[in-house]
mmCIF file of all heavy atoms in Angstrom:
data_model
loop_
_atom_site.group_PDB
_atom_site.id
_atom_site.type_symbol
_atom_site.label_atom_id
_atom_site.label_comp_id
_atom_site.label_asym_id
_atom_site.label_seq_id
_atom_site.Cartn_x
_atom_site.Cartn_y
_atom_site.Cartn_z
ATOM 1 N N MET A 1276 -5.686 -18.949 2.937
ATOM 2 C CA MET A 1276 -7.063 -18.602 2.801
ATOM 3 C C MET A 1276 -7.979 -19.871 2.942
ATOM 4 O O MET A 1276 -7.476 -20.958 2.525
ATOM 5 C CB MET A 1276 -7.370 -17.959 1.468
ATOM 6 C CG MET A 1276 -7.191 -18.876 0.262
ATOM 7 S SD MET A 1276 -7.447 -18.036 -1.305
ATOM 8 C CE MET A 1276 -9.206 -17.813 -1.209
ATOM 9 N N THR A 1281 -13.570 -23.217 -5.815
ATOM 10 C CA THR A 1281 -14.109 -23.835 -7.003
ATOM 11 C C THR A 1281 -14.148 -22.836 -8.109
ATOM 12 O O THR A 1281 -14.701 -21.752 -7.967
ATOM 13 C CB THR A 1281 -15.543 -24.386 -6.742
ATOM 14 O OG1 THR A 1281 -15.508 -25.332 -5.679
ATOM 15 C CG2 THR A 1281 -16.124 -25.129 -7.971
ATOM 16 N N LEU A 1282 -13.499 -23.185 -9.261
ATOM 17 C CA LEU A 1282 -13.459 -22.242 -10.335
ATOM 18 C C LEU A 1282 -13.819 -23.019 -11.662
ATOM 19 O O LEU A 1282 -13.725 -24.232 -11.792
ATOM 20 C CB LEU A 1282 -12.029 -21.771 -10.516
ATOM 21 C CG LEU A 1282 -11.503 -20.865 -9.394
ATOM 22 C CD1 LEU A 1282 -10.042 -20.589 -9.624
ATOM 23 C CD2 LEU A 1282 -12.281 -19.563 -9.247
ATOM 24 N N PHE A 1287 -9.223 -16.982 -13.311
ATOM 25 C CA PHE A 1287 -8.021 -16.571 -12.658
ATOM 26 C C PHE A 1287 -8.029 -17.088 -11.189
ATOM 27 O O PHE A 1287 -9.059 -17.074 -10.577
ATOM 28 C CB PHE A 1287 -7.987 -14.981 -12.598
ATOM 29 C CG PHE A 1287 -6.775 -14.443 -11.963
ATOM 30 C CD1 PHE A 1287 -5.602 -14.266 -12.726
ATOM 31 C CD2 PHE A 1287 -6.752 -14.071 -10.626
ATOM 32 C CE1 PHE A 1287 -4.467 -13.748 -12.140
ATOM 33 C CE2 PHE A 1287 -5.549 -13.563 -10.036
ATOM 34 C CZ PHE A 1287 -4.464 -13.379 -10.788
ATOM 35 N N LEU A 1288 -6.866 -17.494 -10.738
ATOM 36 C CA LEU A 1288 -6.772 -18.118 -9.443
ATOM 37 C C LEU A 1288 -5.902 -17.271 -8.542
ATOM 38 O O LEU A 1288 -4.784 -16.825 -8.915
ATOM 39 C CB LEU A 1288 -6.167 -19.523 -9.536
ATOM 40 C CG LEU A 1288 -5.689 -20.162 -8.218
ATOM 41 C CD1 LEU A 1288 -6.918 -20.523 -7.331
ATOM 42 C CD2 LEU A 1288 -4.814 -21.314 -8.486
ATOM 43 N N THR A 1293 -0.171 -16.001 4.166
ATOM 44 C CA THR A 1293 0.598 -15.091 4.967
ATOM 45 C C THR A 1293 1.377 -15.898 5.973
ATOM 46 O O THR A 1293 1.001 -17.035 6.334
ATOM 47 C CB THR A 1293 -0.228 -14.026 5.717
ATOM 48 O OG1 THR A 1293 -1.233 -14.716 6.512
ATOM 49 C CG2 THR A 1293 -0.946 -13.126 4.725
ATOM 50 N N TYR A 1299 14.916 -15.768 8.865
ATOM 51 C CA TYR A 1299 14.729 -15.334 7.456
ATOM 52 C C TYR A 1299 14.174 -16.517 6.658
ATOM 53 O O TYR A 1299 14.978 -17.401 6.245
ATOM 54 C CB TYR A 1299 16.054 -14.839 6.875
ATOM 55 C CG TYR A 1299 16.644 -13.747 7.693
ATOM 56 C CD1 TYR A 1299 17.638 -14.042 8.641
ATOM 57 C CD2 TYR A 1299 16.197 -12.435 7.581
ATOM 58 C CE1 TYR A 1299 18.158 -13.039 9.455
ATOM 59 C CE2 TYR A 1299 16.749 -11.452 8.368
ATOM 60 C CZ TYR A 1299 17.713 -11.701 9.328
ATOM 61 O OH TYR A 1299 18.229 -10.764 10.110
ATOM 62 N N SER A 1301 12.554 -19.072 3.863
ATOM 63 C CA SER A 1301 12.316 -19.388 2.486
ATOM 64 C C SER A 1301 10.840 -19.792 2.379
ATOM 65 O O SER A 1301 10.300 -20.447 3.305
ATOM 66 C CB SER A 1301 13.237 -20.526 2.016
ATOM 67 O OG SER A 1301 14.525 -20.113 1.987
ATOM 68 N N LEU A 1302 10.183 -19.437 1.282
ATOM 69 C CA LEU A 1302 8.775 -19.771 1.129
ATOM 70 C C LEU A 1302 8.521 -20.676 -0.045
ATOM 71 O O LEU A 1302 9.217 -20.604 -1.042
ATOM 72 C CB LEU A 1302 7.966 -18.416 0.930
ATOM 73 C CG LEU A 1302 8.156 -17.408 2.065
ATOM 74 C CD1 LEU A 1302 7.502 -16.129 1.681
ATOM 75 C CD2 LEU A 1302 7.547 -17.944 3.367
ATOM 76 N N TRP A 1304 5.415 -23.210 -2.269
ATOM 77 C CA TRP A 1304 4.109 -23.740 -2.539
ATOM 78 C C TRP A 1304 4.304 -25.191 -3.009
ATOM 79 O O TRP A 1304 5.055 -25.473 -3.933
ATOM 80 C CB TRP A 1304 3.385 -22.973 -3.621
ATOM 81 C CG TRP A 1304 2.689 -21.752 -3.134
ATOM 82 C CD1 TRP A 1304 3.135 -20.440 -3.199
ATOM 83 C CD2 TRP A 1304 1.437 -21.660 -2.452
ATOM 84 N NE1 TRP A 1304 2.240 -19.596 -2.552
ATOM 85 C CE2 TRP A 1304 1.196 -20.306 -2.118
ATOM 86 C CE3 TRP A 1304 0.461 -22.640 -2.069
ATOM 87 C CZ2 TRP A 1304 0.011 -19.883 -1.439
ATOM 88 C CZ3 TRP A 1304 -0.705 -22.228 -1.418
ATOM 89 C CH2 TRP A 1304 -0.890 -20.887 -1.130
ATOM 90 N N GLN A 1307 -0.535 -31.207 -3.883
ATOM 91 C CA GLN A 1307 -0.825 -32.573 -3.604
ATOM 92 C C GLN A 1307 -2.014 -33.044 -4.423
ATOM 93 O O GLN A 1307 -3.158 -32.612 -4.153
ATOM 94 C CB GLN A 1307 -1.080 -32.802 -2.105
ATOM 95 C CG GLN A 1307 -1.229 -34.253 -1.656
ATOM 96 C CD GLN A 1307 -1.346 -34.393 -0.178
ATOM 97 O OE1 GLN A 1307 -1.886 -33.509 0.533
ATOM 98 N NE2 GLN A 1307 -0.903 -35.528 0.386
ATOM 99 N N LEU A 1317 6.681 -24.257 -6.538
ATOM 100 C CA LEU A 1317 7.553 -23.144 -6.721
ATOM 101 C C LEU A 1317 8.097 -22.676 -5.371
ATOM 102 O O LEU A 1317 7.581 -23.061 -4.329
ATOM 103 C CB LEU A 1317 6.909 -21.983 -7.462
ATOM 104 C CG LEU A 1317 5.590 -21.481 -6.945
ATOM 105 C CD1 LEU A 1317 5.819 -20.416 -5.829
ATOM 106 C CD2 LEU A 1317 4.786 -20.743 -8.026
ATOM 107 N N ASP A 1323 11.122 -10.109 -2.310
ATOM 108 C CA ASP A 1323 10.934 -9.628 -3.711
ATOM 109 C C ASP A 1323 11.239 -10.680 -4.763
ATOM 110 O O ASP A 1323 10.990 -10.408 -5.929
ATOM 111 C CB ASP A 1323 11.700 -8.350 -3.958
ATOM 112 C CG ASP A 1323 11.307 -7.248 -3.049
ATOM 113 O OD1 ASP A 1323 10.102 -7.151 -2.688
ATOM 114 O OD2 ASP A 1323 12.200 -6.466 -2.648
ATOM 115 N N ASP A 1324 11.703 -11.867 -4.386
ATOM 116 C CA ASP A 1324 11.856 -12.932 -5.355
ATOM 117 C C ASP A 1324 10.474 -13.381 -5.835
ATOM 118 O O ASP A 1324 9.513 -13.436 -5.091
ATOM 119 C CB ASP A 1324 12.528 -14.120 -4.709
ATOM 120 C CG ASP A 1324 14.082 -14.057 -4.777
ATOM 121 O OD1 ASP A 1324 14.525 -13.047 -5.368
ATOM 122 O OD2 ASP A 1324 14.672 -15.030 -4.329
ATOM 123 N N GLY A 1326 8.724 -16.687 -7.502
ATOM 124 C CA GLY A 1326 8.791 -18.066 -7.961
ATOM 125 C C GLY A 1326 7.748 -18.333 -9.001
ATOM 126 O O GLY A 1326 6.681 -17.757 -8.998
ATOM 127 N N THR A 1334 5.027 -14.158 -5.328
ATOM 128 C CA THR A 1334 6.071 -13.153 -5.033
ATOM 129 C C THR A 1334 6.234 -13.033 -3.516
ATOM 130 O O THR A 1334 5.246 -12.859 -2.770
ATOM 131 C CB THR A 1334 5.792 -11.779 -5.644
ATOM 132 O OG1 THR A 1334 5.679 -11.915 -7.032
ATOM 133 C CG2 THR A 1334 6.900 -10.796 -5.261
ATOM 134 N N ARG A 1336 6.686 -11.214 -0.429
ATOM 135 C CA ARG A 1336 6.509 -9.822 0.022
ATOM 136 C C ARG A 1336 6.774 -9.733 1.505
ATOM 137 O O ARG A 1336 5.989 -10.124 2.335
ATOM 138 C CB ARG A 1336 5.051 -9.400 -0.240
ATOM 139 C CG ARG A 1336 4.608 -9.471 -1.688
ATOM 140 C CD ARG A 1336 5.211 -8.408 -2.497
ATOM 141 N NE ARG A 1336 4.582 -8.399 -3.847
ATOM 142 C CZ ARG A 1336 5.244 -7.763 -4.863
ATOM 143 N NH1 ARG A 1336 6.354 -7.164 -4.731
ATOM 144 N NH2 ARG A 1336 4.582 -7.730 -6.057
ATOM 145 N N LYS A 1337 7.963 -9.210 1.787
ATOM 146 C CA LYS A 1337 8.382 -9.164 3.201
ATOM 147 C C LYS A 1337 7.531 -8.099 3.954
ATOM 148 O O LYS A 1337 7.158 -8.278 5.129
ATOM 149 C CB LYS A 1337 9.856 -8.806 3.321
ATOM 150 C CG LYS A 1337 10.430 -8.848 4.667
ATOM 151 C CD LYS A 1337 11.906 -8.572 4.669
ATOM 152 C CE LYS A 1337 12.472 -8.601 6.076
ATOM 153 N NZ LYS A 1337 13.969 -8.283 6.074
ATOM 154 N N GLU A 1345 -0.799 -17.342 -7.588
ATOM 155 C CA GLU A 1345 -1.684 -16.897 -8.681
ATOM 156 C C GLU A 1345 -1.427 -17.673 -9.956
ATOM 157 O O GLU A 1345 -0.374 -18.174 -10.212
ATOM 158 C CB GLU A 1345 -1.429 -15.390 -9.001
ATOM 159 C CG GLU A 1345 -1.758 -14.457 -7.849
ATOM 160 C CD GLU A 1345 -1.500 -12.992 -8.238
ATOM 161 O OE1 GLU A 1345 -0.761 -12.748 -9.112
ATOM 162 O OE2 GLU A 1345 -2.134 -12.135 -7.566
ATOM 163 N N LYS A 1346 -2.544 -17.814 -10.716
ATOM 164 C CA LYS A 1346 -2.452 -18.396 -12.080
ATOM 165 C C LYS A 1346 -3.504 -17.739 -12.921
ATOM 166 O O LYS A 1346 -4.648 -17.557 -12.507
ATOM 167 C CB LYS A 1346 -2.649 -19.900 -12.040
ATOM 168 C CG LYS A 1346 -2.415 -20.498 -13.435
ATOM 169 C CD LYS A 1346 -2.452 -22.047 -13.435
ATOM 170 C CE LYS A 1346 -2.080 -22.552 -14.796
ATOM 171 N NZ LYS A 1346 -2.175 -24.065 -14.908
ATOM 172 N N ASP A 1353 -5.460 -28.788 -12.840
ATOM 173 C CA ASP A 1353 -4.899 -28.107 -11.689
ATOM 174 C C ASP A 1353 -5.601 -28.406 -10.389
ATOM 175 O O ASP A 1353 -5.216 -28.026 -9.293
ATOM 176 C CB ASP A 1353 -4.945 -26.593 -11.900
ATOM 177 C CG ASP A 1353 -4.016 -26.106 -13.027
ATOM 178 O OD1 ASP A 1353 -2.965 -26.742 -13.223
ATOM 179 O OD2 ASP A 1353 -4.408 -25.161 -13.704
ATOM 180 N N ALA A 1360 4.153 -23.139 2.516
ATOM 181 C CA ALA A 1360 5.072 -23.582 3.546
ATOM 182 C C ALA A 1360 6.237 -22.641 3.636
ATOM 183 O O ALA A 1360 6.567 -21.916 2.739
ATOM 184 C CB ALA A 1360 5.517 -25.002 3.248
ATOM 185 N N ALA A 1366 20.104 -20.995 11.832
ATOM 186 C CA ALA A 1366 20.538 -22.110 12.650
ATOM 187 C C ALA A 1366 20.288 -21.840 14.076
ATOM 188 O O ALA A 1366 20.173 -22.786 14.868
ATOM 189 C CB ALA A 1366 22.018 -22.410 12.371
ATOM 190 N N LEU A 1374 9.980 -27.935 7.423
ATOM 191 C CA LEU A 1374 8.965 -27.154 6.765
ATOM 192 C C LEU A 1374 7.742 -26.987 7.666
ATOM 193 O O LEU A 1374 7.318 -27.990 8.292
ATOM 194 C CB LEU A 1374 8.540 -27.866 5.489
ATOM 195 C CG LEU A 1374 9.457 -27.809 4.273
ATOM 196 C CD1 LEU A 1374 8.999 -28.815 3.198
ATOM 197 C CD2 LEU A 1374 9.519 -26.412 3.674
#
Side-chain angles (χ1 to χ4, degrees):
Chain A
M1276 65 183 292
T1281 302
L1282 296 172
F1287 183 84
L1288 168 70
T1293 57
Y1299 305 97
S1301 295
L1302 301 173
W1304 277 99
Q1307 186 176 29
L1317 53 84
D1323 299 324
D1324 271 1
T1334 300
R1336 301 287 188 198
K1337 187 177 179 181
E1345 296 181 338
K1346 187 175 185 182
D1353 293 328
L1374 285 167

